[in-house]
Amino acid sequence: MLKKVQKLIADVEVFKTTSRDEIEAFRIKYLGSKGLLKELFNEFKTVDASMKKDVGQALNNLRNTTSTKVQELNDSLENAQEIKNFYGDLTRPSEPIELGSRHPISIVRNRIIEVFSKIGFTVSEGPEIEDDWHNFTALNLPEYHPARDMQDTFFIEKDPDLLLRTHTSSVQVRYMENNEPPIRTISPGRVFRNEDISSRSHCIFHQVEGLYIDTDVSFADLKQTLLYFTKEMFGKSKIRLRPSYFPFTEPSAEVDIYWGLETEIDYKITKGTGWLEIMGCGMVDPNVLKNANIDPEKYTGYAFGMGIERIAMLLYQIPDIRMFYENDVRFLEQFKSII
Ligand code: PHE
């Protein structure tokens, strides 16, 4: 009999279920008024006196183990119910998560960085609050130079001048001061100009400027790089360079791409010419190299600069520059599919 009881104890110990009915059936089977324990206690009366102590202990053990088991099973069932009430049905499908979208300015900036990084340009950044030296003087724009009027400036302090940078060329000066040629870097960033706000211009906008300095860099290198960029960025393979003026480059040029005249929109954005101006460029003026402690006898370089908003407006046909800064979700949501 002892063996039988011990076997039952082992059975009870391994018993498992999560069903209320099965727990109840288990309880009745062992502890019920006609259950196994009742039967066993009856049988116990016939057990030989020498075995009574051991079998009695085993029976008590079986009864205790069984009632503890029933208690445990009921408790865990209640716990599960509580969790369910608290969290709801854990097996139901989750709520869809709203996907955000990148701002169109970030999309275009990242794309420009990607295109130039493929040909070895690194990304450099600098402060938005600049001193006069890095924003103007080092770039061949001494005080009282009339070309300073090209970029209406927000001043923060006078003498010594502290201002909001008007272009990211200031980052390039910093880069030249701290790095030896060969230099191949682009500087994306926010710039500020004291201009009236309209659908075409804003007092805050973004630029990417590029700088390449090495021995024997020529205007042909510049043109080839720009051609590569317009092909990758716009899928257009015709550009033209028109002579222009920037104080920090000589010679200087404006870059136009041939956009085409296939649609009415093409007519509108190119004013019927098919050509679109997208950036300024030129060979770095020897004075600028000298100001940044680079020997202009040994090194030459080119630079270019473009406005990110302008390019984003072209690519996505955005009619008003102010839309970039209003953060209207109906506008921003339209860029969800672009990474
Ligand atoms: N810094 C110029 C601007 O802000 C752009 C430019 C950069 C032009 C480099 C030529 C060379 O308009």
Side-chain angles (χ1 to χ4, degrees):
M1 184 171 175
L2 187 57
K3 279 243 163 70
K4 189 160 86 180
V5 176
Q6 277 164 348
K7 162 95 176 55
L8 284 170
I9 293 173
D11 286 353
V12 167
E13 273 169 352
V14 298
F15 180 73
K16 253 191 207 148
T17 180
T18 53
S19 137
R20 196 173 287 286
D21 291 347
E22 280 178 28
I23 299 174
E24 188 54 11
F26 174 81
R27 191 189 64 81
I28 292 168
K29 180 176 158 197
Y30 285 89
L31 303 168
S33 54
K34 291 177 194 151
L36 274 171
L37 269 151
K38 187 92 181 169
E39 249 173 55
L40 290 165
F41 273 107
N42 281 335
E43 203 181 324
F44 177 64
K45 291 174 193 152
T46 64
V47 168
D48 190 89
S50 65
M51 291 293 290
K52 270 223 152 74
K53 193 177 164 221
D54 286 350
V55 176
Q57 268 177 0
L59 273 176
N60 278 334
N61 192 356
L62 176 63
R63 190 178 45 206
N64 293 340
T65 313
T66 315
S67 33
T68 315
K69 186 69 167 191
V70 172
Q71 187 65 40
E72 269 173 24
L73 288 171
N74 275 328
D75 282 356
S76 70
L77 205 68
E78 250 159 55
N79 263 344
Q81 192 58 42
E82 260 170 38
I83 289 174
K84 207 165 177 181
N85 291 343
F86 186 74
Y87 291 109
D89 177 4
L90 291 176
T91 60
R92 77 183 193 283
S94 58
E95 297 278 331
I97 298 168
E98 266 286 317
L99 266 194
S101 55
R102 278 202 202 286
H103 194 279
I105 297 295
S106 303
I107 296 171
V108 173
R109 183 201 53 204
N110 292 350
R111 177 83 188 112
I112 296 172
I113 292 175
E114 194 188 332
V115 170
F116 280 107
S117 60
K118 274 195 211 162
I119 52 170
F121 281 78
T122 59
V123 174
S124 47
E125 283 177 346
E128 292 180 353
I129 296 175
E130 262 300 1
D131 50 34
D132 181 279
W133 170 257
H134 292 98
N135 197 78
F136 289 128
T137 308
L139 287 159
N140 212 21
L141 273 151
E143 223 184 331
Y144 304 119
H145 193 290
R148 284 199 179 200
D149 292 346
M150 285 165 78
Q151 300 180 353
D152 289 330
T153 310
F154 286 114
F155 287 95
I156 295 172
E157 265 172 37
K158 272 264 167 216
D159 260 346
D161 280 346
L162 215 51
L163 45 91
L164 293 178
R165 66 182 179 196
T166 57
H167 49 187
T168 55
S169 305
S170 54
V171 182
Q172 308 190 325
V173 176
R174 287 178 183 275
Y175 196 88
M176 285 188 282
E177 284 172 345
N178 296 312
N179 294 276
E180 299 270 311
I183 287 172
R184 225 189 268 136
T185 187
I186 52 171
S187 324
R190 190 155 56 160
V191 300
F192 308 84
R193 289 187 198 175
N194 190 2
E195 279 179 23
D196 290 340
I197 297 172
S198 72
S199 65
R200 313 295 309 165
S201 65
H202 209 284
C203 57
I204 301 176
F205 58 103
H206 299 77
Q207 282 190 326
V208 178
E209 298 216 352
L211 178 71
Y212 184 28
I213 298 173
D214 203 345
T215 48
D216 302 320
V217 178
S218 73
F219 203 85
D221 296 324
L222 169 60
K223 194 172 172 191
Q224 220 41 50
T225 305
L226 297 177
L227 195 59
Y228 158 79
F229 171 71
T230 49
K231 271 187 196 162
E232 288 280 313
M233 192 75 197
F234 306 104
K236 311 276 180 192
S237 48
K238 204 156 123 189
I239 60 170
R240 74 179 179 198
L241 297 164
R242 279 180 295 109
S244 184
Y245 172 76
F246 297 103
F248 28 86
T249 46
E250 180 61 34
S252 305
E254 301 282 356
V255 185
D256 298 341
I257 55 176
Y258 190 69
W259 195 258
L261 280 173
E262 275 156 36
T263 66
E264 207 172 316
I265 292 172
D266 294 346
Y267 264 90
K268 216 173 131 200
I269 59 176
T270 67
K271 300 195 180 83
T273 63
W275 291 95
L276 264 181
E277 183 189 316
I278 52 154
M279 65 170 111
C281 68
M283 301 305 291
V284 181
D285 193 292
N287 279 337
V288 174
L289 295 176
K290 232 183 284 168
N291 288 338
N293 301 322
I294 292 175
D295 182 0
E297 300 293 327
K298 194 167 161 202
Y299 295 107
T300 49
Y302 63 70
F304 54 85
M306 66 193 104
I308 300 182
E309 277 79 353
R310 187 173 160 68
I311 292 178
M313 286 167 87
L314 284 173
L315 284 176
Y316 306 128
Q317 287 164 16
I318 296 164
D320 192 320
I321 197 170
R322 288 169 289 202
M323 294 174 111
F324 290 120
Y325 315 111
E326 283 162 1
N327 284 332
D328 184 328
V329 280
R330 290 168 303 178
F331 171 69
L332 297 175
E333 273 182 345
Q334 295 176 51
F335 300 92
K336 264 190 184 165
S337 57
I338 315 166
I339 309 161

